[in-house]
Amino acid sequence: MKLVRYGTPGAEKPGVIDGSGRVRDLSGLVADIGGDTLRASGLDGLRDADVDALPLVDGVPQQDLRLGPCVGGIGKFICIGLNYADHAEEANMPVPPEPVIFNKWTSAVVGPNDPIQIPRNSLKTDWEVELGVVIGEPGVYIDEADAMGHVAGFCVINDVSEREFQLDRAGTWDKGKGCDTFGPTGPWLVTRDEIADVDDLDMWLDVDGERMQSGSTATLIYKVPHLVSYCSRFMSLQSGDIISTGTPPGVGMGQSPPRYLRGGEVVTLGITGLGVQTSHVLAAPE
């Protein structure tokens, strides 16, 4: 299933993509795409529904029908740093001996086609296409062998980052990761059963039509089962939490000379089978 949340910001309704690519309304079955809906029992209930009998939503998704973040009520937005060896190299940082964990604040989360707002006083706003892992079954101290059973599905994430805030301003990475609009999420949550091999998904990102990032989840250093298990050692994972798994090379910081977003650009990114995001970048406010 491809699960979506559609409508105006803050008032999104749950939906599912039908065989023709249109949205069918799920609000008669579930309150939202989040929480217990993402547990195995909740997803099984949605699979039993006759999609073609559900109300058809007016509009074409991502054209004249806005899609919001594909997960509602996200509790934790957990991110993994330097999880591609070639990205660590372009950042002039060593490959970490175990996963690097940081956070994006949930106030950063926006829809897949909502604008990205450059923050005030930004010097180095950057882009990062990433695979998002959405937790379904909650757990703590999860065995790696059982980890995929805790995954509801996957989505596209743009881990927008302000490098000067992140690296030059005395503190943890979180300072440059959680600005408002820095977490475009979606367009849809693709349930785990729809993805044959999560370790073989092409991913890419363009800025104004120029290909900047091109990679594959095949080169992840720490794979999805390990990340789920590892994160659960330090916190309980809850239904609807997201783990963003890292980015391949090609970020602005790694260009020669470095290239950052200033406003006016269009950033387009996608992952095989998980959809495409297109965001207009707004200049920093005075």
Side-chain angles (χ1 to χ4, degrees):
M1 294 181 293
K2 292 182 175 68
L3 302 174
V4 298
R5 300 172 69 249
Y6 68 92
T8 58
E12 292 93 346
K13 296 181 178 180
V16 61
I17 301 295
D18 68 14
S20 65
R22 300 286 297 278
V23 175
R24 299 280 178 163
D25 180 52
L26 287 174
S27 57
L29 301 177
V30 295
D32 204 352
I33 305 300
D36 287 345
T37 300
L38 299 176
R39 300 188 70 162
S41 58
L43 294 177
D44 286 344
L46 293 181
R47 289 190 186 94
D48 290 339
D50 181 357
V51 171
D52 292 335
L54 295 170
L56 181 65
V57 178
D58 290 337
V60 177
Q62 299 187 278
Q63 294 184 26
D64 55 352
L65 175 62
R66 175 187 177 268
L67 297 184
C70 59
V71 179
I74 298 167
K76 295 189 288 296
F77 200 134
I78 307 157
C79 298
I80 308 299
L82 303 174
N83 200 24
Y84 290 78
D86 36 12
H87 173 54
E89 181 179 357
E90 75 172 351
N92 293 314
M93 296 180 181
V95 173
E98 54 187 278
V100 173
I101 296 176
F102 61 92
N103 294 293
K104 294 182 87 75
W105 318 124
T106 54
S107 53
V109 177
V110 291
N113 301 101
D114 291 343
I116 294 169
Q117 175 68 67
I118 303 291
R120 184 173 293 169
N121 301 318
S122 168
L123 300 175
K124 301 177 180 180
T125 295
D126 205 346
W127 55 82
E128 295 189 13
V129 59
E130 304 201 3
L131 170 71
V133 177
V134 181
I135 298 299
E137 292 296 325
V140 65
Y141 302 117
I142 298 167
D143 288 337
E144 188 168 335
D146 300 327
M148 292 304 287
H150 291 262
V151 174
F154 307 98
C155 63
V156 180
I157 301 289
N158 187 356
D159 176 20
V160 186
S161 307
E162 214 296 341
R163 304 300 188 186
E164 198 249 348
F165 297 176
Q166 175 191 357
L167 301 172
D168 303 335
R169 294 284 293 273
T172 64
W173 285 13
D174 312 286
K175 191 183 293 184
K177 293 288 189 171
C179 300
D180 289 358
T181 77
F182 272 25
T185 301
W188 27 76
L189 187 165
V190 181
T191 52
R192 190 180 75 244
D193 56 298
E194 295 280 330
I195 301 300
D197 186 359
V198 73
D199 293 329
D200 188 24
L201 302 178
D202 292 333
M203 51 202 309
W204 54 272
L205 182 146
D206 295 347
V207 177
D208 288 339
E210 180 182 355
R211 183 59 45 91
M212 306 304 294
Q213 290 188 272
S214 182
S216 170
T217 57
T219 61
L220 276 168
I221 298 168
Y222 298 108
K223 306 293 187 181
V224 171
H226 182 77
L227 294 176
V228 171
S229 174
Y230 183 84
C231 290
S232 77
R233 302 176 196 174
F234 305 102
M235 68 200 84
S236 61
L237 297 178
Q238 307 296 330
S239 305
D241 288 349
I242 291 178
I243 302 173
S244 197
T245 57
T247 198
V251 300
M253 179 176 62
Q255 305 299 313
S256 183
R259 175 177 171 180
Y260 297 110
L261 299 171
R262 301 298 184 193
E265 300 93 344
V266 176
V267 180
T268 309
L269 58 147
I271 300 177
T272 302
L274 301 183
V276 175
Q277 299 182 1
T278 301
S279 298
H280 289 77
V281 182
L282 305 180
E286 297 294 333

